[in-house]
Amino acid sequence: MPDSRTHDILTVITGVALVPLSYSFCRSQLLLVHADALVTTLWLVGAHIISGVMFSPDLDLDSAIDNRWGILFWIWRPYMWLIPHRHFWSHSLIFAPLLRLAYFYFVVTGVLFLWVWLLGLLGVLVADFPVLLFYALRSLLAANPEVTLTVIIGFCTGSAIHTIADWLVTGGRRFLGIFGIHVVRDYSRHDRAIHHRRIRRT
Ligand SMILES: [Zn+2]
């Protein structure tokens, strides 16, 4: 399987390739003016790259990816423990990236809930932040349906590039195996999981 750096390069290359495709689609099919086509393309490519780099399917193992979250790496610990590596839950084209988004939202909500509850125990009354977050997000999404859809599509394509690359490498090895050619490259350091686990400083 490609390592995290190869996946990053693929994410950036496909993100750059998406720019002319998205821009011309917005202009010719959606009939957007230049500025709107540009903004839509930026949303799409931004979501594509953030999805591939920060919300990578390989968050399902202790990899280079969760280290990128710095001191917030623990957000992805339960995800890593619960989701089997390279399973449908993390390496499918549409369901998996949307699951990661939903998971991220629920963790943030959970932390806010805990914070409000602990402050309440100490006698400090604060606003109900989980509820505020829910309503703020809901009105933001309702007010910007096109941007929401664009970001979701970009989020799915960023993840899909990773998954397809994994499938191609695995399928390629099987295909060569049919002809008696066995690829002997060592994939045990897939995503450099072992190396990065040891250098964690947090
Ligand atoms: Zn993978």
Side-chain angles (χ1 to χ4, degrees), residues 10-62:
L10 283 172
T11 300
V12 172
I13 288 174
T14 50
V16 170
L18 270 179
V19 173
L21 288 176
S22 166
Y23 181 83
S24 56
F25 181 82
C26 289
R27 294 284 279 168
S28 62
Q29 303 299 314
L30 304 180
L31 304 176
L32 297 181
V33 297
H34 167 72
D36 289 346
L38 207 60
V39 169
T40 303
T41 298
L42 282 177
W43 278 117
L44 183 81
V45 174
H48 177 90
I49 290 177
I50 288 172
S51 174
V53 174
M54 295 300 290
F55 287 79
S56 160
D58 285 340
L59 282 166
D60 63 3
L61 80 171
D62 187 4

Side-chain angles (χ1 to χ4, degrees), residues 1-2 7 56-58 60-61 85-86 91 162-163 166 190-191:
M1 278 60 69
H7 278 304
S56 160
D58 285 340
D60 63 3
L61 80 171
H85 180 48
R86 297 197 73 207
H91 281 67
H162 176 114
T163 299
D166 279 356
H190 172 45
D191 298 305

Side-chain angles (χ1 to χ4, degrees), residues 179-198:
F179 300 99
I181 303 167
H182 298 288
V183 180
V184 292
R185 189 178 157 190
D186 178 15
Y187 289 107
S188 62
R189 291 181 65 207
H190 172 45
D191 298 305
R192 298 166 189 175
I194 298 163
H195 174 67
H196 280 267
R197 188 185 300 140
R198 286 183 180 152

Side-chain angles (χ1 to χ4, degrees), residues 17-144:
L18 270 179
V19 173
L21 288 176
S22 166
Y23 181 83
S24 56
F25 181 82
C26 289
R27 294 284 279 168
S28 62
Q29 303 299 314
L30 304 180
L31 304 176
L32 297 181
V33 297
H34 167 72
D36 289 346
L38 207 60
V39 169
T40 303
T41 298
L42 282 177
W43 278 117
L44 183 81
V45 174
H48 177 90
I49 290 177
I50 288 172
S51 174
V53 174
M54 295 300 290
F55 287 79
S56 160
D58 285 340
L59 282 166
D60 63 3
L61 80 171
D62 187 4
S63 69
I65 315 302
D66 65 335
N67 287 346
R68 292 173 182 168
W69 286 78
I71 58 168
L72 297 177
F73 78 93
W74 52 266
I75 287 177
W76 297 102
R77 289 284 118 169
Y79 181 87
M80 185 193 86
W81 294 327
L82 290 170
I83 305 289
H85 180 48
R86 297 197 73 207
H87 196 269
F88 172 80
W89 294 86
S90 64
H91 281 67
S92 52
L93 295 180
I94 295 171
F95 174 78
L98 297 183
L99 177 69
R100 279 191 291 283
L101 264 189
Y103 171 87
F104 183 70
Y105 168 76
F106 280 112
V107 170
V108 171
T109 301
V111 169
L112 287 175
F113 179 81
L114 199 66
W115 190 50
V116 170
W117 179 68
L118 285 174
L119 287 175
L121 285 183
L122 297 171
V124 181
L125 287 179
V126 291
D128 196 346
F129 289 115
V131 175
L132 288 180
L133 176 69
F134 172 78
Y135 284 116
L137 259 181
R138 194 177 70 167
S139 53
L140 191 73
L141 300 184
N144 303 282

